[in-house]
Every structure is written in structure tokens, then in C-alpha cells.
Amino acid sequence: MEFKMQFGRTTHKSIKEFEEKINFKLPTDYESFLLVYNGGIPLKNRFLINKLQGFDSIDLFFGLSLDKDFLNLNYQLDYYEDRFPPGIIPIGEDPGGNYICLDANQGENYGRIYFYDHEVENEYAQGNPTRNNLFLVAINFGEFLKSLQ
């Protein structure tokens, strides 16, 4: 994978601490990505949401233990904790304030990658966000990376 800018590597310890914080185990393909790249700005960044919504682009992937808060997975989860359903982890963002999310819930959706549309966001969920604004874009993180154009 090529990047305009990458955030360097993270450690197994940082990943373990993040998993303990979220109380979920990250999929192996995503964990490997963090260990090698720890997020960044990809050169190939366009992906298909679905036929109705068309293409979008990812501005950046978040990382761990970074100096700038808005680039950090931990910051994203803390700042927007009431925005995402349990186990849905924002791993990147597009230019319009939407997110690319990973499902860390054990079960049939484990590891799937979703487009989070903030325009469909249920503002009246009263702290119980739904999955109504999540659109499947890849069955796992590796497939999502392969789909980038």
C-alpha cells in the first residue's frame, strides 16, 4: 500500500491497550495494518459505497498514539462515543465528515467495513445509536484496501 503520508508504526502494547479499552479484539488484517502503517493518507483513496450512493474517498486512516488528537483512534472513540453503536470503530474519515468503520463485534459481521453516513445519523437516538446509517463496503479490511482506486 502506498501513502502520501503515513503515521509510522505502532506497538503490540498500544494495540492491546486499545482492545482492552474497547473490550473487543481487532481483526488480524486491521491489526497488521496498524503495526505496519499505523494509519495515514493513502494514495489510492476512492471506493464504491454502493450503486445508489456511488463512490466516495477516504481522506485518512486513524492511528494509535499520535500527537494530533484528531488522527487518533482513541480520540475519535472518546469524542464521538455516543455516535457509534457498540463495537463499531471509526477507522478513517472522508472529506465530508463521514466515517469508514470496522465492526469489531464477534459474530457474522465481525471484521466488516462500513461507510458511516452522518447525513442519515439518528440524532434522536438518545445515546443508543442504531446501524441505520451504516452501509457495507467490504467483507473485511483487506478487501477494503484492495478495493481502493
Side-chain angles (χ1 to χ4, degrees):
M1 173 150 209
E2 296 182 61
F3 286 85
K4 292 177 189 175
M5 176 193 302
Q6 66 186 76
F7 301 147
R9 296 173 182 250
T10 192
T11 64
H12 287 286
K13 180 182 178 193
S14 291
I15 291 171
K16 183 74 172 161
E17 288 171 354
F18 182 70
E19 288 175 330
E20 288 171 1
K21 174 182 180 169
I22 63 173
N23 204 25
F24 291 97
K25 173 82 175 109
L26 296 174
T28 306
D29 56 356
Y30 183 63
E31 182 178 347
S32 296
F33 171 82
L34 288 175
L35 286 168
V36 174
Y37 303 107
N38 195 29
I41 302 169
L43 279 175
K44 292 182 178 181
N45 65 352
R46 283 179 33 96
F47 64 93
L48 179 67
I49 299 169
N50 56 45
K51 289 181 182 179
L52 179 64
Q53 292 174 296
F55 282 88
D56 193 17
S57 60
I58 181 165
D59 264 0
L60 64 92
F61 289 102
F62 304 123
L64 288 170
S65 306
L66 301 172
D67 291 338
K68 296 187 174 162
D69 284 342
F70 67 91
L71 301 175
N72 269 307
L73 285 164
N74 282 304
Y75 174 81
Q76 294 298 322
L77 280 177
D78 290 345
Y79 192 75
Y80 297 114
E81 76 177 310
D82 60 342
R83 182 176 269 190
F84 302 102
I88 300 297
I89 313 299
I91 61 170
E93 66 182 357
D94 80 351
N98 300 300
Y99 290 91
I100 308 308
C101 296
L102 170 90
D103 191 333
N105 291 289
Q106 294 297 320
E108 67 182 72
N109 295 325
Y110 179 70
R112 291 190 177 176
I113 304 298
Y114 294 94
F115 173 76
Y116 174 97
D117 187 343
H118 79 279
E119 298 294 334
V120 183
E121 186 174 40
N122 184 355
E123 294 179 18
Y124 306 103
Q126 298 178 355
N128 297 312
T130 68
R131 297 173 69 100
N132 294 344
N133 61 341
L134 296 175
F135 301 91
L136 181 67
V137 293
I139 59 168
N140 59 48
F141 187 71
E143 290 300 314
F144 179 70
L145 293 180
K146 287 180 195 174
S147 77
L148 295 176
Q149 304 176 20

